[in-house]
Amino acid sequence: MRKSILLGTLLSSVAAAQAQDVTIYTYESFTAEWGPGPQVEKAFEAKCDCDVTFVSAADGVALLNRLRLEGGNTDADLVLGIDQNLIAEAKAEGFFAPHGMDIEAAAVPGGWSDDVFVPYDYGYFAIVYDTQKIDTPPSSMEELLNGDVSNKIAIQDPRTSTPGLGLMLWIKKLYGDDAPEAYAKLNDRILTITPGWSEAYGLFTDGEVPMVLSYTTSPAYHMIAEDNDRYQAAAFSEGHYMQIEVAGLTKKGAENPKAKEFLSFVVSPEFQDIIPETNWMLPAAATSKPLNPVFDKLVQPDNALLYSSDDVALNRKDWVAEWLEVMSR
Amino acid sequence: MKHTKPYQGLGLALPPLALFLLAGLALGAIIALVVFAVLGGSQVDVIDIATDTVVWRIIRFTLWQAALSTLLSALFAIPVGFLLFEYKHFYGRELLLRLFAIPLVLPQIVAVLAIVSLYGNQGFVTQALKQAGLPIGTIYGLSGILIAHVYFNMPLVARVILGALNAMPAEYERLSHQLNMGPLQRLRHICWPYMRPALFNASALVFMLCVTSFTVVLTLGGGPRATTLEVGIYQALTFDFDIPRAVVLTVMQLALTAFAVYMFARAGGNIDAGMTLERTRPLLIKHKASQIILAVVVLGVAALFVASPFVAIFAKGIAADLIKLFGQSAVQKAIMTSFVLGALAACLCIAVTLALCEGAVRAGFMQGAYSHAASLVLVVPPIVIAAGWFILLRPFVSIYEAAPYLVVSVNAAMALPFAMRFVLPARQTAAQRHDRLCAQLGIQGFDKWRLVLLPVMIKPLSVGFAFAFALSLGDLGVIALFGSEKVQTLPYLILQRMGSYRTNDAAGLALILCVFTLAILMFADRSSVSLKDKK
């Protein structure tokens, strides 16, 4: 690509940073004080005798876009936090190098075999409901679509939000060509469609709406951090759509042995122990000790639903347009 | 107006320079994105985007909701601004004026949730009305968008109107009372000519703010029926990473808004300040009881409307563990960062505002550019500016080091249209009253500022400064791309905590942000009064 050559010549001095240090691009909630970042940094620095620097972008999409704006000439050795939907697009840009690792340790439902990205956690999208307002939550997507329209739900917009995209793919996966009819039914139950997760979840915890699109792990936060079991996730019999978060080596990072070391650290028990109660997602490899018992109370989907990232890359625009068409009526 | 002496040196160069820098901030980003896209081999079919029916449906809705929001804000603001001018001394007036700045500071998500807690389906007002047997419909849809936009913008328009009326020769008001004119006559014959330019000018600003509305429109609009071009631009630059499309949509948004701003400016017209003595002794006015009751009702409704979301924020915030929050080093640092960035941005903003005002009062074909075009920077989405400058700066400097400078520059630019609306009318009035005399007496440069302009402009300058300060605290559009570790402001912390289940902390921080802003406004008011007394 021409742009990378142009920027590359300008950047040669910057790129020659110390090979001992590891620069990791990730999303903001990872590096928050209460996020996994600080603990991960401490644990790895103690092992590798190197300096780990996190650089954060708003979310996984912003991460990939940052790489694109950098034209392939990045400061990052590793990128941690894009999700499986973006893998195909990320690979097509050619910024990443194969990990060349044995990643049998990675244990996400449905297995993992990607040669570039390593999963570090995963979660399931779910409808989280307020037990004080809803006695019998929907037990399937079908029930949600056909249920009482006076019990509203807040969802997110797939044009601007990852969970929003997740729900759209979830319905598409279940209903295929009949998805537009399903969207239309869902539309009757929707209170509002917010640009991001925070607005929808804020409406939910404020009591404005009794159901919200979130994750199966959301109740774990309330039960562990707030000792509050008021909010629970509804188990859907058709299965739940997954989100898998992955890390990958950039081409720059492939030359840095410490970066490779970090990537194998990601699937080690030491890293995985940190994830559940800081990132509020499920570990993607073995932990050294059992999870907090609260995690056993969470919805455990029988069926993990997922499109391949190639399918998503190929169809996302059309599917979003289809969604938009129905929801704009 | 003819000048006996041409401006020289710095004085001559500063206004065009300020305009150039401002235009460069927006256009530089757009050009950078275009070059990046072209080098990257992107194809763009402008015709295809410009004739897309979906795009035009979005444009139609964008303009429709913006026009309605502007109209309602203006209609509400006229009586409020006029009555605030008529009644200069009543208990709580200063507090009310300061509260009027709060909506602009709040991160949109905080304001939206506060509005929902009042007017939402489970909201306080909705439930109270239901109990009273007056059920109202759902706010999700156009009504919700309008409520939120009027909440954000009515106070702004009212304050701009009040500023313009304060610049009116005081003799006019005195005379109108001597002539025993009623309030309606005064409004129509005395105040309206002074209000009109300010009203349309403020309306143009409100229109721009509503055109670019994002969180409000999506969240309260209820679904993608309600979508603005800004959402399309965001989508194009994030999920789709379709830079050509983002640029085309941005340019369309700029063109449509520029046209609207031009129409507003035409409709507003100008007013001659007249050669007068400016100060008269305060006059004792007796209002009829019926007038006072009406004023109490109108101002009471306005105060309730603006203050109630703040009360909701207060109630939620006070429930948070404020002591623990204050103890967190991240919070202390964020307060400091917000303060420093806000102060720097406000200083820069006022400096550029003064330069642009100079340009605007020097007659010439560029007058319109100085007074109006500068505002258009608001219509370029922050994400476009951030992406463009990221590409421009990254090859030459460390992005992390550049982040604070860019945040200050962009915040100053975004606050500029607000500050202009307070400062420009005062500067124009001062120009008409004093510039010729100054030219005759050979008073110019720094002396002119110190001796002539500052004393008569200190009040609007301090209001402009306070608004710029407050706005800069609330903005976070540009930080995202540049790595946020360096620049964690209070609004940033609020969003961060809301994004990770910590809604109580976020509520506490929102309260801190509000109180912090009120304190700044109070300080600005005080210091301007004491400065004025010294003169």
Side-chain angles (χ1 to χ4, degrees), chain B residues 355-413:
Chain B
L356 289 178
C357 286
E358 276 314 301
V361 296
R362 290 174 198 173
F365 73 100
M366 288 291 283
Q367 195 187 355
Y370 283 116
S371 43
H372 299 293
S375 311
L376 287 172
V377 69
L378 271 184
V379 193
V380 182
I383 184 168
V384 169
I385 295 186
W389 281 94
F390 184 91
I391 296 170
L392 275 178
L393 290 176
R394 196 173 175 279
F396 309 107
V397 295
S398 154
I399 285 300
Y400 321 118
E401 302 303 326
Y405 299 98
L406 197 76
V407 170
V408 167
S409 313
V410 172
N411 282 351

Side-chain angles (χ1 to χ4, degrees), chain A residues 56 66 192 208 218 328-329, chain B residues 121 140 219 225 481 485 501:
Chain A
S56 57
R66 182 172 174 131
T192 189
E208 171 71 4
S218 300
S328 301
R329 277 181 206 152
Chain B
N121 291 359
Y140 300 95
T219 306
R225 272 181 307 276
L481 256 177
E485 290 82 4
Y501 299 106

